[in-house]
Amino acid sequence: MAVFWMVILMGIVGFLFCLTLNHFLPLLLLKNKKFGDVPRGSFGYLPLLGETLAFLNPHPSTNIGSFLQEKCSRYGKVFKSHLFFSPTIVSCDQELNYFILQNEDKLFECSYPKPIHGILGKLSMLCVVGDTHKRLRNVAINLVSTTKSKPEFLKHIEKTTLQVLDSWKDKKQIIFCQEARKFTFNVIVRQVLGLSPEQPEGAKILEDFLTFMRGLISLPLYIPGTPYANAVKARIRISSSVKQIIKERRRKEYVINSNDNICGNMNINSQEKEIDFLEILLGVDTLSEDEKVSFVLDALLGGYETTSILMAMVVHFVAKSPTALEQLKAEHHSIRSKKKKDEPLTWEDYKMMGFTQNVINEALRYGNVVKFLHRKALKDIKFKDAQNRNNFCSLWSGYLIPAGWKVLPILSTVHLDPSIHSSPLEFDPCRWERQDQTGKKFIPFGGGSRCCPGSELARVEVAFFLHHLVQNFRWSVEDDDQPIAYPYVEFKKGLVIKLDHLAL
Ligand code: HEM
């Protein structure tokens, strides 16, 4: 009996301890600060979790969700909360978001939750900071700019598009998200590792990759058999597959070079060799072997889910917007009419796809592929509040963002803010003819020194896919299958579409 009461007592003490950690510690630590104050808000009642569950409550990604709605109307666009085990400043304000992203490494630092590090690995670009991040990022930017406009790169995206669309010819209905994932995975695996879907290494990586993705969005419990533990293991397997591919590539390189030396000139194989990310990566001497492997994983991860969900959103929104579809058809028909029947698309063609870019921008704004980012304040930061930004009064009237607190810039609230975008809850690609596509109002790929290096690759993939889709198919979607922010975006039923193949 005594043991029973002991357990109950310990439970109560534990609960109170957590509550203290949650509620009072952050404020006690602030008590002696001389300036300003933290924004208004509440920490919630759940020990350690605070308001995390309410914050993560699923909602259509085309609205900001009831949690942010309520908080913003009660406390304004910047408020305090307790999320992901930490006192947090949530920013739904475009100026503050911009300020946070532009001050990476100086005032703020990327800070994804620890369980994510467990899966991505400590060398992932989303986890590293400072000089290591700069080194990895430089390589990423160079790789993308070297490959993006190469004819083989574009040729491969188009070939993969045609393979997917060809497999739909005799189908009346498909689950679009599955097809889009197949497409983006094949593109990125080919782009990064030079593998085609038919090769067994590609199929093995895909299988491990799906386990990896399931773990990324699961409860972070490292107990054998849980999705999280399986994902950590899958990551180790993908790493060793990539290492094996690197080893094999080096061996082939050695054979080719030896042949070149014997023949005294370039061997035919080395001339025909297609350049992929890995080929360039192997020649980079500023990265260790483990960093190269981690880099490959980042590219696979970055290029897979986000791009496929963007494709699904475009297909979903365009199905409900006949005017956008007509304009898309006209644009792609005009591009095709200047080419021979099966002539591949070029970078110049891509640059002619102006309305298509408007559709992509609008899907990114309205659909919000990435809802928010994770940051941490490196020092105490004072930031003027919206009402006083242009007001040069001598009294300080702003926020304090305390050192060590988590900071979450919310991207979707800026994209759906009626004071920034007119009629924000309407899908209207034409707004991009009038509106600036850069700056603080539109940041679907983040900003500052962590801005997405794969944005153009994603745009090319969607544009090429649309080029063939609108010319060969008509499609309709079910009304109730909407993009939902979990907060990672998914269509509940995988976006079932009904197809009509146009006989051309
Ligand atoms: C619709 C498609 C995409 C969206 C919406 C998207 C969005 C983003 C966002 C918002 C960030 C910033 C993360 C942060 O600041 O914490 C980011 C970073 C990143 N993305 Fe993308 N992305 C997309 C496609 C891609 C593709 C195709 C690739 C790879 C080829 C890629 C690779 C990366 C990498 C490596 C980073 C980390 C950059 C760094 O930390 O410096 N992304 N992405």
Side-chain angles (χ1 to χ4, degrees):
M1 199 62 181
V3 176
F4 173 78
W5 286 115
M6 193 77 150
V7 170
I8 295 285
L9 193 67
M10 276 167 68
I12 294 173
V13 170
F15 180 78
L16 290 176
F17 176 70
C18 290
L19 210 62
T20 310
L21 272 186
N22 214 15
H23 278 258
F24 307 117
L25 201 63
L27 294 178
L28 280 178
L29 291 176
L30 285 176
K31 216 177 149 196
N32 298 325
K33 293 275 163 11
K34 288 183 216 78
F35 47 80
D37 206 355
V38 288
R40 292 181 305 142
S42 65
F43 287 139
Y45 294 103
L46 286 177
L48 297 175
L49 282 176
E51 301 185 309
T52 313
L53 298 181
F55 176 74
L56 294 178
N57 203 17
H59 60 87
S61 72
T62 49
N63 69 48
I64 67 173
S66 55
F67 178 82
L68 292 176
Q69 184 77 57
E70 248 168 57
K71 294 285 176 179
C72 286
S73 38
R74 194 154 169 200
Y75 304 118
K77 288 182 184 174
V78 180
F79 58 90
K80 72 167 180 277
S81 181
H82 199 284
L83 302 172
F84 305 102
F85 308 108
S86 168
T88 303
I89 299 295
V90 179
S91 164
C92 303
D93 178 77
Q94 63 161 337
E95 295 292 338
L96 180 54
N97 285 358
Y98 185 75
F99 179 77
I100 295 165
L101 298 180
Q102 295 304 317
N103 282 289
E104 178 77 20
D105 274 346
K106 290 174 227 138
L107 304 177
F108 301 92
E109 186 175 86
C110 194
S111 169
Y112 282 84
K114 283 279 174 292
I116 300 232
H117 292 217
I119 298 191
L120 296 181
K122 60 181 190 313
L123 292 174
S124 164
M125 264 169 92
L126 282 183
C127 304
V128 293
V129 292
D131 286 344
T132 314
H133 174 252
K134 277 197 196 98
R135 241 173 349 101
L136 284 166
R137 188 172 170 85
N138 279 342
V139 175
I141 303 285
N142 281 339
L143 272 178
V144 171
S145 57
T146 320
T147 43
K148 81 175 180 196
S149 54
K150 278 202 183 319
E152 312 96 77
F153 164 67
L154 301 178
K155 206 172 77 191
H156 178 254
I157 294 180
E158 195 172 8
K159 194 173 146 204
T160 314
T161 301
L162 293 171
Q163 274 167 354
V164 171
L165 295 184
D166 200 49
S167 72
W168 294 1
K169 259 189 337 216
D170 302 319
K171 294 185 181 159
K172 287 270 158 257
Q173 186 170 301
I174 51 145
I175 300 177
F176 186 81
C177 289
Q178 282 176 4
E179 300 292 309
R181 286 199 187 107
K182 209 188 303 172
F183 169 74
T184 54
F185 187 79
N186 289 347
V187 167
I188 201 72
V189 164
R190 169 66 191 75
Q191 202 53 48
V192 175
L193 296 171
L195 293 177
S196 67
E198 299 82 38
Q199 285 175 270
E201 296 101 311
K204 184 172 180 308
I205 291 182
L206 175 58
E207 196 190 319
D208 285 332
F209 207 74
L210 294 176
T211 315
F212 176 74
M213 292 300 299
R214 274 194 291 272
L216 211 53
I217 50 172
S218 68
L219 253 175
L221 290 176
Y222 195 83
I223 300 170
T226 57
Y228 182 78
N230 290 344
V232 175
K233 285 190 196 137
R235 185 196 180 277
I236 297 170
R237 285 197 300 275
I238 302 172
S239 295
S240 59
S241 302
V242 173
K243 280 184 184 156
Q244 192 54 38
I245 293 167
I246 292 181
K247 211 165 134 193
E248 184 59 15
R249 195 61 82 82
R250 288 218 165 99
R251 195 187 61 76
K252 279 190 188 152
E253 198 81 358
Y254 177 76
V255 172
I256 290 172
N257 288 341
S258 316
N259 286 347
D260 284 349
N261 287 341
I262 292 165
C263 300
N265 57 15
M266 285 288 274
N267 176 292
I268 190 83
N269 284 339
S270 61
Q271 273 180 7
E272 282 179 353
K273 193 171 58 184
E274 281 188 27
I275 300 287
D276 52 37
F277 275 23
L278 191 62
E279 200 61 44
I280 306 172
L281 199 60
L282 290 183
V284 172
D285 48 17
T286 50
L287 300 188
S288 70
E289 191 81 353
D290 282 341
E291 284 171 340
K292 287 179 186 174
V293 172
S294 178
F295 183 92
V296 168
L297 268 152
D298 279 346
L300 294 180
L301 177 72
Y304 172 67
E305 189 69 21
T306 46
T307 314
S308 62
I309 205 71
L310 174 61
M311 283 171 70
M313 284 189 190
V314 168
V315 162
H316 175 74
F317 298 141
V318 169
K320 290 163 174 277
S321 172
T323 42
L325 178 62
E326 281 314 306
Q327 261 183 280
L328 272 178
K329 265 164 50 185
E331 177 165 284
H332 290 285
H333 181 72
S334 143
I335 292 171
R336 192 42 56 187
S337 64
K338 295 186 188 104
K339 302 177 80 71
K340 291 193 202 110
K341 190 164 176 282
D342 292 322
E343 197 182 334
L345 289 168
T346 61
W347 191 250
E348 288 66 44
D349 296 325
Y350 172 67
K351 289 287 162 200
M352 301 293 289
M353 298 178 184
F355 184 72
T356 307
Q357 288 304 331
N358 293 343
V359 169
I360 294 174
N361 283 338
E362 186 62 349
L364 284 163
R365 181 199 69 79
Y366 184 47
N368 296 294
V369 176
V370 177
K371 177 176 167 180
F372 65 96
L373 306 173
H374 287 268
R375 294 293 186 269
K376 178 173 89 181
L378 292 174
K379 35 181 109 151
D380 284 338
I381 296 146
K382 291 186 281 177
F383 189 77
K384 272 199 163 191
D385 73 23
Q387 275 127 32
N388 294 296
R389 228 168 249 150
N390 301 318
N391 175 359
F392 294 97
C393 61
S394 55
L395 282 174
W396 164 254
S397 54
Y399 314 115
L400 163 68
I401 302 177
W405 280 37
K406 209 169 184 25
V407 181
L408 299 186
I410 313 281
L411 312 184
S412 59
T413 43
V414 176
H415 293 161
L416 300 172
D417 186 336
S419 68
I420 299 173
H421 302 274
S422 59
S423 312
L425 303 185
E426 273 171 29
F427 179 77
D428 172 19
C430 293
R431 75 173 74 237
W432 297 98
E433 279 155 21
R434 311 179 290 269
Q435 191 169 313
D436 187 11
Q437 300 180 13
T438 52
K440 306 168 190 174
K441 296 177 179 177
F442 181 56
I443 43 170
F445 295 106
S449 63
R450 283 194 177 261
C451 187
C452 176
S455 57
E456 190 81 59
L457 171 57
R459 285 176 182 278
V460 177
E461 285 183 55
V462 181
F464 277 28
F465 192 86
L466 273 178
H467 176 78
H468 290 287
L469 180 70
V470 296
Q471 292 187 86
N472 289 289
F473 290 93
R474 285 296 152 269
W475 68 97
S476 59
V477 296
E478 289 175 8
D479 272 344
D480 59 341
D481 204 4
Q482 289 180 19
I484 306 288
Y486 282 99
Y488 62 91
V489 182
E490 232 181 51
F491 284 81
K492 241 192 208 150
K493 299 186 197 161
L495 187 60
V496 178
I497 64 173
K498 291 203 167 66
L499 285 172
D500 237 337
H501 189 207
L502 304 175
L504 296 173

